mmCIF file with all atom_site columns, all heavy atoms in Angstrom:
data_model
loop_
_atom_site.group_PDB
_atom_site.id
_atom_site.type_symbol
_atom_site.label_atom_id
_atom_site.label_alt_id
_atom_site.label_comp_id
_atom_site.label_asym_id
_atom_site.label_entity_id
_atom_site.label_seq_id
_atom_site.pdbx_PDB_ins_code
_atom_site.Cartn_x
_atom_site.Cartn_y
_atom_site.Cartn_z
_atom_site.occupancy
_atom_site.B_iso_or_equiv
_atom_site.pdbx_formal_charge
_atom_site.auth_seq_id
_atom_site.auth_comp_id
_atom_site.auth_asym_id
_atom_site.auth_atom_id
_atom_site.pdbx_PDB_model_num
ATOM 1   N N   . GLY J 1 1  ? 146.836 134.641 116.719 1.00 80.00 ? 65 GLY J N   1
ATOM 2   C CA  . GLY J 1 1  ? 147.953 133.814 117.174 1.00 80.00 ? 65 GLY J CA  1
ATOM 3   C C   . GLY J 1 1  ? 148.977 134.609 117.945 1.00 80.00 ? 65 GLY J C   1
ATOM 4   O O   . GLY J 1 1  ? 149.544 134.125 118.934 1.00 80.00 ? 65 GLY J O   1
ATOM 5   N N   . MET J 1 2  ? 149.228 135.858 117.534 1.00 86.00 ? 66 MET J N   1
ATOM 6   C CA  . MET J 1 2  ? 150.179 136.721 118.242 1.00 86.00 ? 66 MET J CA  1
ATOM 7   C C   . MET J 1 2  ? 149.634 137.107 119.610 1.00 86.00 ? 66 MET J C   1
ATOM 8   O O   . MET J 1 2  ? 150.374 137.176 120.599 1.00 86.00 ? 66 MET J O   1
ATOM 9   C CB  . MET J 1 2  ? 150.483 137.956 117.392 1.00 86.00 ? 66 MET J CB  1
ATOM 10  C CG  . MET J 1 2  ? 151.228 137.627 116.107 1.00 86.00 ? 66 MET J CG  1
ATOM 11  S SD  . MET J 1 2  ? 151.219 138.979 114.907 1.00 86.00 ? 66 MET J SD  1
ATOM 12  C CE  . MET J 1 2  ? 152.317 140.156 115.698 1.00 86.00 ? 66 MET J CE  1
ATOM 13  N N   . TYR J 1 3  ? 148.321 137.356 119.691 1.00 84.00 ? 67 TYR J N   1
ATOM 14  C CA  . TYR J 1 3  ? 147.679 137.615 120.985 1.00 84.00 ? 67 TYR J CA  1
ATOM 15  C C   . TYR J 1 3  ? 147.947 136.456 121.940 1.00 84.00 ? 67 TYR J C   1
ATOM 16  O O   . TYR J 1 3  ? 148.327 136.643 123.099 1.00 84.00 ? 67 TYR J O   1
ATOM 17  C CB  . TYR J 1 3  ? 146.156 137.757 120.784 1.00 84.00 ? 67 TYR J CB  1
ATOM 18  C CG  . TYR J 1 3  ? 145.638 139.157 120.781 1.00 84.00 ? 67 TYR J CG  1
ATOM 19  C CD1 . TYR J 1 3  ? 145.606 139.912 119.610 1.00 84.00 ? 67 TYR J CD1 1
ATOM 20  C CD2 . TYR J 1 3  ? 145.137 139.739 121.940 1.00 84.00 ? 67 TYR J CD2 1
ATOM 21  C CE1 . TYR J 1 3  ? 145.101 141.200 119.589 1.00 84.00 ? 67 TYR J CE1 1
ATOM 22  C CE2 . TYR J 1 3  ? 144.641 141.025 121.933 1.00 84.00 ? 67 TYR J CE2 1
ATOM 23  C CZ  . TYR J 1 3  ? 144.619 141.751 120.750 1.00 84.00 ? 67 TYR J CZ  1
ATOM 24  O OH  . TYR J 1 3  ? 144.120 143.018 120.749 1.00 84.00 ? 67 TYR J OH  1
ATOM 25  N N   . MET J 1 4  ? 147.708 135.231 121.425 1.00 82.00 ? 68 MET J N   1
ATOM 26  C CA  . MET J 1 4  ? 147.863 134.050 122.259 1.00 82.00 ? 68 MET J CA  1
ATOM 27  C C   . MET J 1 4  ? 149.307 133.891 122.725 1.00 82.00 ? 68 MET J C   1
ATOM 28  O O   . MET J 1 4  ? 149.567 133.575 123.887 1.00 82.00 ? 68 MET J O   1
ATOM 29  C CB  . MET J 1 4  ? 147.413 132.816 121.477 1.00 82.00 ? 68 MET J CB  1
ATOM 30  C CG  . MET J 1 4  ? 147.336 131.523 122.286 1.00 82.00 ? 68 MET J CG  1
ATOM 31  S SD  . MET J 1 4  ? 148.916 130.717 122.531 1.00 82.00 ? 68 MET J SD  1
ATOM 32  C CE  . MET J 1 4  ? 149.291 130.240 120.839 1.00 82.00 ? 68 MET J CE  1
ATOM 33  N N   . ARG J 1 5  ? 150.243 134.113 121.824 1.00 85.00 ? 69 ARG J N   1
ATOM 34  C CA  . ARG J 1 5  ? 151.653 133.987 122.184 1.00 85.00 ? 69 ARG J CA  1
ATOM 35  C C   . ARG J 1 5  ? 152.009 134.929 123.328 1.00 85.00 ? 69 ARG J C   1
ATOM 36  O O   . ARG J 1 5  ? 152.687 134.540 124.285 1.00 85.00 ? 69 ARG J O   1
ATOM 37  C CB  . ARG J 1 5  ? 152.540 134.309 120.970 1.00 85.00 ? 69 ARG J CB  1
ATOM 38  C CG  . ARG J 1 5  ? 152.534 133.251 119.899 1.00 85.00 ? 69 ARG J CG  1
ATOM 39  C CD  . ARG J 1 5  ? 153.217 133.785 118.647 1.00 85.00 ? 69 ARG J CD  1
ATOM 40  N NE  . ARG J 1 5  ? 153.180 132.816 117.570 1.00 85.00 ? 69 ARG J NE  1
ATOM 41  C CZ  . ARG J 1 5  ? 154.214 132.090 117.172 1.00 85.00 ? 69 ARG J CZ  1
ATOM 42  N NH1 . ARG J 1 5  ? 155.377 132.207 117.785 1.00 85.00 ? 69 ARG J NH1 1
ATOM 43  N NH2 . ARG J 1 5  ? 154.107 131.238 116.179 1.00 85.00 ? 69 ARG J NH2 1
ATOM 44  N N   . LEU J 1 6  ? 151.548 136.171 123.216 1.00 89.00 ? 70 LEU J N   1
ATOM 45  C CA  . LEU J 1 6  ? 151.876 137.156 124.241 1.00 89.00 ? 70 LEU J CA  1
ATOM 46  C C   . LEU J 1 6  ? 151.207 136.808 125.568 1.00 89.00 ? 70 LEU J C   1
ATOM 47  O O   . LEU J 1 6  ? 151.845 136.844 126.631 1.00 89.00 ? 70 LEU J O   1
ATOM 48  C CB  . LEU J 1 6  ? 151.451 138.551 123.779 1.00 89.00 ? 70 LEU J CB  1
ATOM 49  C CG  . LEU J 1 6  ? 151.962 139.720 124.615 1.00 89.00 ? 70 LEU J CG  1
ATOM 50  C CD1 . LEU J 1 6  ? 153.484 139.768 124.610 1.00 89.00 ? 70 LEU J CD1 1
ATOM 51  C CD2 . LEU J 1 6  ? 151.389 141.033 124.103 1.00 89.00 ? 70 LEU J CD2 1
ATOM 52  N N   . ALA J 1 7  ? 149.910 136.466 125.507 1.00 86.00 ? 71 ALA J N   1
ATOM 53  C CA  . ALA J 1 7  ? 149.175 136.135 126.734 1.00 86.00 ? 71 ALA J CA  1
ATOM 54  C C   . ALA J 1 7  ? 149.775 134.921 127.430 1.00 86.00 ? 71 ALA J C   1
ATOM 55  O O   . ALA J 1 7  ? 149.971 134.907 128.651 1.00 86.00 ? 71 ALA J O   1
ATOM 56  C CB  . ALA J 1 7  ? 147.701 135.884 126.406 1.00 86.00 ? 71 ALA J CB  1
ATOM 57  N N   . PHE J 1 8  ? 150.078 133.885 126.667 1.00 84.00 ? 72 PHE J N   1
ATOM 58  C CA  . PHE J 1 8  ? 150.636 132.669 127.243 1.00 84.00 ? 72 PHE J CA  1
ATOM 59  C C   . PHE J 1 8  ? 152.021 132.936 127.828 1.00 84.00 ? 72 PHE J C   1
ATOM 60  O O   . PHE J 1 8  ? 152.353 132.452 128.914 1.00 84.00 ? 72 PHE J O   1
ATOM 61  C CB  . PHE J 1 8  ? 150.721 131.581 126.175 1.00 84.00 ? 72 PHE J CB  1
ATOM 62  C CG  . PHE J 1 8  ? 151.047 130.223 126.717 1.00 84.00 ? 72 PHE J CG  1
ATOM 63  C CD1 . PHE J 1 8  ? 150.052 129.359 127.125 1.00 84.00 ? 72 PHE J CD1 1
ATOM 64  C CD2 . PHE J 1 8  ? 152.364 129.803 126.827 1.00 84.00 ? 72 PHE J CD2 1
ATOM 65  C CE1 . PHE J 1 8  ? 150.347 128.112 127.629 1.00 84.00 ? 72 PHE J CE1 1
ATOM 66  C CE2 . PHE J 1 8  ? 152.671 128.559 127.329 1.00 84.00 ? 72 PHE J CE2 1
ATOM 67  C CZ  . PHE J 1 8  ? 151.667 127.707 127.730 1.00 84.00 ? 72 PHE J CZ  1
ATOM 68  N N   . SER J 1 9  ? 152.810 133.730 127.121 1.00 88.00 ? 73 SER J N   1
ATOM 69  C CA  . SER J 1 9  ? 154.172 134.008 127.578 1.00 88.00 ? 73 SER J CA  1
ATOM 70  C C   . SER J 1 9  ? 154.177 134.734 128.911 1.00 88.00 ? 73 SER J C   1
ATOM 71  O O   . SER J 1 9  ? 155.009 134.462 129.777 1.00 88.00 ? 73 SER J O   1
ATOM 72  C CB  . SER J 1 9  ? 154.912 134.838 126.522 1.00 88.00 ? 73 SER J CB  1
ATOM 73  O OG  . SER J 1 9  ? 155.001 134.142 125.307 1.00 88.00 ? 73 SER J OG  1
ATOM 74  N N   . VAL J 1 10 ? 153.239 135.672 129.077 1.00 88.00 ? 74 VAL J N   1
ATOM 75  C CA  . VAL J 1 10 ? 153.153 136.384 130.354 1.00 88.00 ? 74 VAL J CA  1
ATOM 76  C C   . VAL J 1 10 ? 152.719 135.429 131.459 1.00 88.00 ? 74 VAL J C   1
ATOM 77  O O   . VAL J 1 10 ? 153.331 135.370 132.536 1.00 88.00 ? 74 VAL J O   1
ATOM 78  C CB  . VAL J 1 10 ? 152.170 137.570 130.255 1.00 88.00 ? 74 VAL J CB  1
ATOM 79  C CG1 . VAL J 1 10 ? 151.987 138.221 131.627 1.00 88.00 ? 74 VAL J CG1 1
ATOM 80  C CG2 . VAL J 1 10 ? 152.669 138.601 129.249 1.00 88.00 ? 74 VAL J CG2 1
ATOM 81  N N   . ALA J 1 11 ? 151.665 134.653 131.185 1.00 84.00 ? 75 ALA J N   1
ATOM 82  C CA  . ALA J 1 11 ? 151.070 133.809 132.225 1.00 84.00 ? 75 ALA J CA  1
ATOM 83  C C   . ALA J 1 11 ? 152.035 132.766 132.774 1.00 84.00 ? 75 ALA J C   1
ATOM 84  O O   . ALA J 1 11 ? 152.020 132.465 133.967 1.00 84.00 ? 75 ALA J O   1
ATOM 85  C CB  . ALA J 1 11 ? 149.809 133.135 131.683 1.00 84.00 ? 75 ALA J CB  1
ATOM 86  N N   . ILE J 1 12 ? 152.894 132.213 131.908 1.00 83.00 ? 76 ILE J N   1
ATOM 87  C CA  . ILE J 1 12 ? 153.766 131.136 132.380 1.00 83.00 ? 76 ILE J CA  1
ATOM 88  C C   . ILE J 1 12 ? 155.101 131.649 132.900 1.00 83.00 ? 76 ILE J C   1
ATOM 89  O O   . ILE J 1 12 ? 155.932 130.857 133.344 1.00 83.00 ? 76 ILE J O   1
ATOM 90  C CB  . ILE J 1 12 ? 154.023 130.098 131.262 1.00 83.00 ? 76 ILE J CB  1
ATOM 91  C CG1 . ILE J 1 12 ? 154.769 130.740 130.089 1.00 83.00 ? 76 ILE J CG1 1
ATOM 92  C CG2 . ILE J 1 12 ? 152.728 129.470 130.815 1.00 83.00 ? 76 ILE J CG2 1
ATOM 93  C CD1 . ILE J 1 12 ? 155.214 129.737 129.055 1.00 83.00 ? 76 ILE J CD1 1
ATOM 94  N N   . ASN J 1 13 ? 155.307 132.956 132.862 1.00 85.00 ? 77 ASN J N   1
ATOM 95  C CA  . ASN J 1 13 ? 156.568 133.509 133.354 1.00 85.00 ? 77 ASN J CA  1
ATOM 96  C C   . ASN J 1 13 ? 156.394 134.373 134.603 1.00 85.00 ? 77 ASN J C   1
ATOM 97  O O   . ASN J 1 13 ? 157.305 135.111 134.966 1.00 85.00 ? 77 ASN J O   1
ATOM 98  C CB  . ASN J 1 13 ? 157.251 134.327 132.260 1.00 85.00 ? 77 ASN J CB  1
ATOM 99  C CG  . ASN J 1 13 ? 157.991 133.459 131.266 1.00 85.00 ? 77 ASN J CG  1
ATOM 100 O OD1 . ASN J 1 13 ? 159.028 132.886 131.572 1.00 85.00 ? 77 ASN J OD1 1
ATOM 101 N ND2 . ASN J 1 13 ? 157.428 133.339 130.071 1.00 85.00 ? 77 ASN J ND2 1
ATOM 102 N N   . VAL J 1 14 ? 155.237 134.259 135.256 1.00 82.00 ? 78 VAL J N   1
ATOM 103 C CA  . VAL J 1 14 ? 155.031 135.013 136.493 1.00 82.00 ? 78 VAL J CA  1
ATOM 104 C C   . VAL J 1 14 ? 155.381 134.168 137.718 1.00 82.00 ? 78 VAL J C   1
ATOM 105 O O   . VAL J 1 14 ? 155.214 134.610 138.854 1.00 82.00 ? 78 VAL J O   1
ATOM 106 C CB  . VAL J 1 14 ? 153.572 135.527 136.602 1.00 82.00 ? 78 VAL J CB  1
ATOM 107 C CG1 . VAL J 1 14 ? 153.256 136.462 135.460 1.00 82.00 ? 78 VAL J CG1 1
ATOM 108 C CG2 . VAL J 1 14 ? 152.584 134.368 136.650 1.00 82.00 ? 78 VAL J CG2 1
ATOM 109 N N   . ASN J 1 15 ? 155.842 132.923 137.468 1.00 82.00 ? 79 ASN J N   1
ATOM 110 C CA  . ASN J 1 15 ? 156.172 132.006 138.573 1.00 82.00 ? 79 ASN J CA  1
ATOM 111 C C   . ASN J 1 15 ? 155.004 131.819 139.529 1.00 82.00 ? 79 ASN J C   1
ATOM 112 O O   . ASN J 1 15 ? 155.154 131.899 140.741 1.00 82.00 ? 79 ASN J O   1
ATOM 113 C CB  . ASN J 1 15 ? 157.403 132.505 139.338 1.00 82.00 ? 79 ASN J CB  1
ATOM 114 C CG  . ASN J 1 15 ? 158.679 132.326 138.535 1.00 82.00 ? 79 ASN J CG  1
ATOM 115 O OD1 . ASN J 1 15 ? 158.656 131.845 137.419 1.00 82.00 ? 79 ASN J OD1 1
ATOM 116 N ND2 . ASN J 1 15 ? 159.795 132.740 139.122 1.00 82.00 ? 79 ASN J ND2 1
ATOM 117 N N   . ALA J 1 16 ? 153.828 131.559 138.928 1.00 85.00 ? 80 ALA J N   1
ATOM 118 C CA  . ALA J 1 16 ? 152.632 131.356 139.744 1.00 85.00 ? 80 ALA J CA  1
ATOM 119 C C   . ALA J 1 16 ? 152.662 129.989 140.404 1.00 85.00 ? 80 ALA J C   1
ATOM 120 O O   . ALA J 1 16 ? 153.295 129.046 139.915 1.00 85.00 ? 80 ALA J O   1
ATOM 121 C CB  . ALA J 1 16 ? 151.387 131.499 138.881 1.00 85.00 ? 80 ALA J CB  1
ATOM 122 N N   . ASP J 1 17 ? 151.959 129.881 141.516 1.00 91.00 ? 81 ASP J N   1
ATOM 123 C CA  . ASP J 1 17 ? 151.798 128.590 142.183 1.00 91.00 ? 81 ASP J CA  1
ATOM 124 C C   . ASP J 1 17 ? 150.685 127.776 141.545 1.00 91.00 ? 81 ASP J C   1
ATOM 125 O O   . ASP J 1 17 ? 150.702 126.543 141.576 1.00 91.00 ? 81 ASP J O   1
ATOM 126 C CB  . ASP J 1 17 ? 151.480 128.805 143.669 1.00 91.00 ? 81 ASP J CB  1
ATOM 127 C CG  . ASP J 1 17 ? 152.565 129.604 144.364 1.00 91.00 ? 81 ASP J CG  1
ATOM 128 O OD1 . ASP J 1 17 ? 153.720 129.140 144.367 1.00 91.00 ? 81 ASP J OD1 1
ATOM 129 O OD2 . ASP J 1 17 ? 152.260 130.705 144.882 1.00 91.00 ? 81 ASP J OD2 1
ATOM 130 N N   . ILE J 1 18 ? 149.702 128.482 140.959 1.00 93.00 ? 82 ILE J N   1
ATOM 131 C CA  . ILE J 1 18 ? 148.544 127.841 140.349 1.00 93.00 ? 82 ILE J CA  1
ATOM 132 C C   . ILE J 1 18 ? 148.329 128.453 138.963 1.00 93.00 ? 82 ILE J C   1
ATOM 133 O O   . ILE J 1 18 ? 148.258 129.671 138.819 1.00 93.00 ? 82 ILE J O   1
ATOM 134 C CB  . ILE J 1 18 ? 147.265 128.031 141.200 1.00 93.00 ? 82 ILE J CB  1
ATOM 135 C CG1 . ILE J 1 18 ? 147.450 127.428 142.589 1.00 93.00 ? 82 ILE J CG1 1
ATOM 136 C CG2 . ILE J 1 18 ? 146.058 127.418 140.503 1.00 93.00 ? 82 ILE J CG2 1
ATOM 137 C CD1 . ILE J 1 18 ? 146.338 127.792 143.563 1.00 93.00 ? 82 ILE J CD1 1
ATOM 138 N N   . LEU J 1 19 ? 148.229 127.615 137.939 1.00 91.00 ? 83 LEU J N   1
ATOM 139 C CA  . LEU J 1 19 ? 147.995 128.075 136.571 1.00 91.00 ? 83 LEU J CA  1
ATOM 140 C C   . LEU J 1 19 ? 146.674 127.494 136.081 1.00 91.00 ? 83 LEU J C   1
ATOM 141 O O   . LEU J 1 19 ? 146.484 126.272 136.072 1.00 91.00 ? 83 LEU J O   1
ATOM 142 C CB  . LEU J 1 19 ? 149.144 127.634 135.663 1.00 91.00 ? 83 LEU J CB  1
ATOM 143 C CG  . LEU J 1 19 ? 149.029 128.009 134.175 1.00 91.00 ? 83 LEU J CG  1
ATOM 144 C CD1 . LEU J 1 19 ? 148.948 129.518 133.993 1.00 91.00 ? 83 LEU J CD1 1
ATOM 145 C CD2 . LEU J 1 19 ? 150.206 127.431 133.389 1.00 91.00 ? 83 LEU J CD2 1
ATOM 146 N N   . LEU J 1 20 ? 145.761 128.370 135.663 1.00 91.00 ? 84 LEU J N   1
ATOM 147 C CA  . LEU J 1 20 ? 144.436 127.972 135.179 1.00 91.00 ? 84 LEU J CA  1
ATOM 148 C C   . LEU J 1 20 ? 144.363 128.251 133.680 1.00 91.00 ? 84 LEU J C   1
ATOM 149 O O   . LEU J 1 20 ? 144.614 129.375 133.242 1.00 91.00 ? 84 LEU J O   1
ATOM 150 C CB  . LEU J 1 20 ? 143.338 128.746 135.912 1.00 91.00 ? 84 LEU J CB  1
ATOM 151 C CG  . LEU J 1 20 ? 143.430 128.750 137.436 1.00 91.00 ? 84 LEU J CG  1
ATOM 152 C CD1 . LEU J 1 20 ? 142.366 129.673 138.033 1.00 91.00 ? 84 LEU J CD1 1
ATOM 153 C CD2 . LEU J 1 20 ? 143.281 127.339 137.999 1.00 91.00 ? 84 LEU J CD2 1
ATOM 154 N N   . ILE J 1 21 ? 143.989 127.244 132.900 1.00 89.00 ? 85 ILE J N   1
ATOM 155 C CA  . ILE J 1 21 ? 143.988 127.367 131.445 1.00 89.00 ? 85 ILE J CA  1
ATOM 156 C C   . ILE J 1 21 ? 142.643 126.883 130.897 1.00 89.00 ? 85 ILE J C   1
ATOM 157 O O   . ILE J 1 21 ? 142.177 125.798 131.228 1.00 89.00 ? 85 ILE J O   1
ATOM 158 C CB  . ILE J 1 21 ? 145.115 126.536 130.802 1.00 89.00 ? 85 ILE J CB  1
ATOM 159 C CG1 . ILE J 1 21 ? 146.459 126.867 131.452 1.00 89.00 ? 85 ILE J CG1 1
ATOM 160 C CG2 . ILE J 1 21 ? 145.180 126.768 129.293 1.00 89.00 ? 85 ILE J CG2 1
ATOM 161 C CD1 . ILE J 1 21 ? 147.594 125.972 130.981 1.00 89.00 ? 85 ILE J CD1 1
ATOM 162 N N   . ASP J 1 22 ? 142.043 127.701 130.023 1.00 84.00 ? 86 ASP J N   1
ATOM 163 C CA  . ASP J 1 22 ? 140.748 127.364 129.429 1.00 84.00 ? 86 ASP J CA  1
ATOM 164 C C   . ASP J 1 22 ? 140.864 127.345 127.912 1.00 84.00 ? 86 ASP J C   1
ATOM 165 O O   . ASP J 1 22 ? 140.760 128.389 127.261 1.00 84.00 ? 86 ASP J O   1
ATOM 166 C CB  . ASP J 1 22 ? 139.683 128.373 129.857 1.00 84.00 ? 86 ASP J CB  1
ATOM 167 C CG  . ASP J 1 22 ? 138.279 127.955 129.418 1.00 84.00 ? 86 ASP J CG  1
ATOM 168 O OD1 . ASP J 1 22 ? 138.148 126.880 128.807 1.00 84.00 ? 86 ASP J OD1 1
ATOM 169 O OD2 . ASP J 1 22 ? 137.324 128.701 129.682 1.00 84.00 ? 86 ASP J OD2 1
ATOM 170 N N   . GLU J 1 23 ? 141.104 126.176 127.321 1.00 74.00 ? 87 GLU J N   1
ATOM 171 C CA  . GLU J 1 23 ? 141.077 125.930 125.879 1.00 74.00 ? 87 GLU J CA  1
ATOM 172 C C   . GLU J 1 23 ? 142.117 126.706 125.073 1.00 74.00 ? 87 GLU J C   1
ATOM 173 O O   . GLU J 1 23 ? 142.212 126.548 123.871 1.00 74.00 ? 87 GLU J O   1
ATOM 174 C CB  . GLU J 1 23 ? 139.681 126.274 125.309 1.00 74.00 ? 87 GLU J CB  1
ATOM 175 C CG  . GLU J 1 23 ? 138.592 125.320 125.697 1.00 74.00 ? 87 GLU J CG  1
ATOM 176 C CD  . GLU J 1 23 ? 138.720 123.951 125.028 1.00 74.00 ? 87 GLU J CD  1
ATOM 177 O OE1 . GLU J 1 23 ? 139.632 123.752 124.212 1.00 74.00 ? 87 GLU J OE1 1
ATOM 178 O OE2 . GLU J 1 23 ? 137.926 123.075 125.363 1.00 74.00 ? 87 GLU J OE2 1
ATOM 179 N N   . ILE J 1 24 ? 142.887 127.585 125.671 1.00 65.00 ? 88 ILE J N   1
ATOM 180 C CA  . ILE J 1 24 ? 143.734 128.474 124.882 1.00 65.00 ? 88 ILE J CA  1
ATOM 181 C C   . ILE J 1 24 ? 144.842 127.733 124.151 1.00 65.00 ? 88 ILE J C   1
ATOM 182 O O   . ILE J 1 24 ? 145.385 128.214 123.159 1.00 65.00 ? 88 ILE J O   1
ATOM 183 C CB  . ILE J 1 24 ? 144.331 129.591 125.778 1.00 65.00 ? 88 ILE J CB  1
ATOM 184 C CG1 . ILE J 1 24 ? 144.849 130.753 124.910 1.00 65.00 ? 88 ILE J CG1 1
ATOM 185 C CG2 . ILE J 1 24 ? 145.428 129.054 126.667 1.00 65.00 ? 88 ILE J CG2 1
ATOM 186 C CD1 . ILE J 1 24 ? 145.204 131.983 125.703 1.00 65.00 ? 88 ILE J CD1 1
ATOM 187 N N   . LEU J 1 25 ? 145.162 126.517 124.584 1.00 62.00 ? 89 LEU J N   1
ATOM 188 C CA  . LEU J 1 25 ? 146.246 125.764 123.926 1.00 62.00 ? 89 LEU J CA  1
ATOM 189 C C   . LEU J 1 25 ? 145.865 125.312 122.528 1.00 62.00 ? 89 LEU J C   1
ATOM 190 O O   . LEU J 1 25 ? 146.711 124.863 121.763 1.00 62.00 ? 89 LEU J O   1
ATOM 191 C CB  . LEU J 1 25 ? 146.634 124.544 124.764 1.00 62.00 ? 89 LEU J CB  1
ATOM 192 C CG  . LEU J 1 25 ? 147.312 124.843 126.099 1.00 62.00 ? 89 LEU J CG  1
ATOM 193 C CD1 . LEU J 1 25 ? 147.648 123.549 126.799 1.00 62.00 ? 89 LEU J CD1 1
ATOM 194 C CD2 . LEU J 1 25 ? 148.553 125.681 125.907 1.00 62.00 ? 89 LEU J CD2 1
#
């Protein structure tokens, strides 16, 4: 769960134009 929190936090704070998500939610 801590891995997921860190990975998700980085991915959604890079101000990307396109976000791709595979089951991680």
Side-chain angles (χ1 to χ4, degrees):
M66 294 165 71
Y67 258 87
M68 188 280 293
R69 288 169 183 255
L70 191 61
F72 190 89
S73 299
V74 175
I76 63 172
N77 280 288
V78 299
N79 288 0
D81 302 300
I82 300 170
L83 178 60
L84 310 174
I85 308 173
D86 188 1
E87 289 290 357
I88 197 169
L89 292 181

